[in-house]
Amino acid sequence: MADPLRLGIAGLGTVGTGVVKIVRQKANLLGARAGREIVITAVSARSKSKDRGVNLSHYAWEDDPVALAKRDDVDIFVELMGGEDGPAKAAAEAALNAGKDVITANKAMLAMHGQALAELAETKGRLIRYEAAVAGGIPVIKALTEGLAGNTINRVMGVMNGSCNYILTRMESAGLTYEEVFAEADGLGYLEADPTLDVGGIDAAHKLALLSSIAFGTQVNFAGIKLKGIESVTIEDIRHAADMGYKIKLLGSAQMTPRGLEQSMTPCLVPATSPLGQLDGGTNMIVLEGDHVGQIVLRGAGAGEGPTASAVMSDVMDIARDIRLPTFGQPAQELEKAPTAKTALAAPYYIRMELLDKPGALAKVATVLGDAGVSIDRMRQYDHPGQNAPVLIVTHTVTSDALDHALAALPATNVVHGTPVALRIENV
Ligand code: NAP
Ligand code: HSE
């Protein structure tokens, strides 16, 4: 049997303790599958005295994760602390410079510094693996990098933040407002320490940026993502969308277009009967479209101790089996700097507006839409107690430019009250 593979784990929170448990509980299984023993030699966290519900007494303790990363008895540095910069990045760099492979669940760090870290890893002949960073337990990095390596990827889509999906589905099922469900989710500990990472779409956009890089052979470009969180999604829109046969999801989408790389993470409507429409609670779903394979749908737990530790172990096992791939599926130096597409590919849109209920008001709106080249597919007006009527419009496929022109022209009609809501519809 080959020498044991020795892990040094920095970060013993939800994910870190999950990894320790798997390594301890499944030593025989892992050893048999890898052809070598998988062991932990050293660990690090902020507090040495905290009870973590696992026995750490057999492992060396380091207060400083950078010191852990450089230890001679560590082959793989497993970074499970989190944070875009700070100790996570310093320790990952130290590990690579010391000739160790790195495994991380840290999408924030990779979304911001993935290119530089990948270049450093390749200069040093080392690996960075990060299956746990995207969609928790779903093996989507492996699916894209390996399983679909023979395909040109046309599109990557999905629901990549369980907390947002929980909030949106709970608003609908309980008829509660965003503010009420946000408070509930926060109380249940479902949200990140900084909840704007979840509800602002940032966490999900970090994940999308990593998938885009692998799918399209481009440098990670988080800044190029059109980003909008779920804070402004109202219970009214959830109800009205349902009435028209749709669900609202925080949907990530990335595709290479003739105008450049188009990436967005925004609330969108999807058909209620589609797999994405039926995705409830904290579950994640990724849709991959390849030219030969067609559409692949991956569904599973996007967070939590077990699923995320499972993904970390997938990386550990690959390294133990000597499966060595570039960070983003091809050498980092060869990844293109794709231009960001300024406008979105044409799509149908859902528009909700409050319309002054008087003769000719609807005609004025229809004229503005028509003049901008926006064609109405379906329309509905609801009962209303006051003088403003809620009106819903589903458009035919339209460019985002045409839609923006129409929305900009609506106030001049003097019949639209407030700001209309416009959400893209993805018929997947
Ligand atoms: P967590 O529960 O907050 O644990 C973080 C751990 O890092 C704690 O053990 C903490 O020590 C330690 N730590 C923080 N700063 C440190 C420092 N300067 N030096 C040494 N140790 C330090 O976080 P988590 O949920 O396990 O997440 C870890 C990583 O996995 C993050 O990048 C996160 O985005 C990612 N991730 C998490 C999930 C999930 O479901 N939780 C899913 C996917 C990806 P103390 O315990 O002593 O405070
Ligand atoms: N906060 C994330 C989510 C979990 O809700 O999906 C880790 O990525």
Side-chain angles (χ1 to χ4, degrees):
M1 227 188 195
D3 288 342
L5 184 70
R6 300 164 303 173
L7 312 180
I9 302 178
L12 296 168
T14 306
V15 186
T17 51
V19 172
V20 173
K21 285 178 195 168
I22 295 180
V23 172
R24 292 178 71 85
Q25 289 165 8
K26 300 201 185 298
N28 292 340
L29 177 88
L30 298 174
R33 287 183 178 165
R36 61 196 291 197
E37 217 184 330
I38 311 284
V39 298
I40 298 167
T41 45
V43 294
S44 175
R46 274 179 300 220
S47 161
K48 190 175 179 184
S49 58
K50 194 191 269 185
D51 178 9
R52 301 174 191 276
V54 283
N55 183 358
L56 302 171
S57 61
H58 302 292
Y59 316 137
W61 179 273
E62 293 280 1
D63 286 323
D64 177 8
V66 172
L68 176 83
K70 294 181 185 166
R71 283 177 67 102
D72 289 338
D73 59 358
V74 165
D75 301 313
I76 305 180
F77 175 64
V78 186
E79 186 283 303
L80 302 172
M81 296 178 286
E84 191 179 308
D85 295 291
K89 178 165 170 275
E93 287 169 344
L96 295 170
N97 281 316
K100 327 270 183 198
D101 295 327
V102 171
I103 294 174
T104 179
N106 191 338
K107 57 261 175 181
M109 176 178 77
L110 291 177
M112 294 304 165
H113 308 292
Q115 180 66 23
L117 287 168
E119 287 181 18
L120 175 61
E122 285 164 32
T123 305
K124 299 289 177 186
R126 305 321 306 176
L127 301 181
I128 301 175
R129 302 297 304 255
Y130 52 98
E131 186 67 71
V134 181
I138 301 175
V140 60
I141 304 288
K142 207 169 180 57
L144 258 184
T145 317
E146 297 177 52
L148 302 181
N151 287 258
T152 296
I153 302 299
N154 297 326
R155 191 159 65 149
V156 174
M157 298 189 79
V159 168
M160 304 174 199
N161 183 280
S163 308
C164 289
N165 204 52
Y166 168 83
I167 290 174
L168 294 172
T169 51
R170 174 91 177 128
M171 282 170 73
E172 180 172 20
S173 62
L176 297 171
T177 64
Y178 169 79
E179 288 73 18
E180 287 167 323
V181 180
F182 177 90
E184 194 180 271
D186 206 17
L188 290 167
Y190 287 2
L191 299 172
E192 301 271 345
D194 173 4
T196 54
L197 288 175
D198 283 321
V199 296
I202 299 161
D203 169 80
H206 286 152
K207 296 166 184 167
L208 182 70
L210 302 180
L211 294 184
S212 284
S213 174
I214 305 169
F216 305 113
T218 51
Q219 295 190 10
V220 181
N221 182 7
F222 173 76
I225 298 179
K226 183 181 168 216
L227 179 60
K228 188 165 187 277
I230 62 165
E231 302 99 321
S232 58
V233 175
T234 63
I235 182 68
E236 287 76 25
D237 281 315
I238 288 178
R239 284 191 185 127
H240 290 318
D243 209 20
M244 301 292 250
Y246 297 104
K247 302 268 183 160
I248 300 182
K249 299 287 169 193
L250 178 66
L251 195 69
S253 173
Q255 53 199 322
M256 188 58 81
T257 75
R259 295 160 294 100
L261 179 61
E262 183 182 323
Q263 304 178 91
S264 64
M265 182 60 68
T266 58
C268 290
L269 271 63
V270 295
T273 51
S274 67
L276 279 164
Q278 291 176 354
L279 187 74
D280 284 342
T283 313
N284 284 194
M285 183 175 284
I286 312 283
V287 180
L288 305 172
E289 292 174 1
D291 58 347
H292 294 294
V293 74
Q295 193 179 77
I296 302 260
V297 178
L298 301 169
R299 179 185 188 282
E305 179 185 304
T308 313
S310 158
V312 172
M313 290 312 298
S314 145
D315 289 337
V316 171
M317 293 300 278
D318 269 5
I319 296 176
R321 290 162 162 164
D322 210 20
I323 297 171
R324 303 188 74 78
L325 300 167
T327 311
F328 297 108
Q330 62 190 68
Q333 295 284 0
E334 291 172 17
L335 295 168
E336 283 178 39
K337 251 187 174 168
T340 299
K342 297 276 180 269
T343 52
L345 281 178
Y349 281 81
Y350 155 102
I351 305 172
R352 176 171 66 84
M353 63 184 84
E354 297 280 319
L355 200 58
L356 197 59
D357 198 357
K358 65 173 194 180
L362 203 51
K364 284 187 181 175
V365 168
T367 300
V368 163
L369 294 180
D371 288 350
V374 177
S375 173
I376 297 171
D377 179 20
R378 288 187 285 152
M379 218 196 73
R380 202 166 280 182
Q381 177 171 317
Y382 290 84
D383 285 347
H384 53 96
Q387 58 176 348
N388 296 321
V391 170
L392 299 187
I393 292 171
V394 171
T395 73
H396 283 292
T397 298
V398 60
T399 63
S400 55
D401 270 356
L403 183 84
D404 290 345
H405 274 110
L407 294 176
L410 281 174
T413 60
N414 292 321
V415 294
V416 177
H417 178 75
T419 308
V421 171
L423 298 170
R424 188 179 166 97
I425 299 175
E426 289 288 357
N427 284 311
V428 273

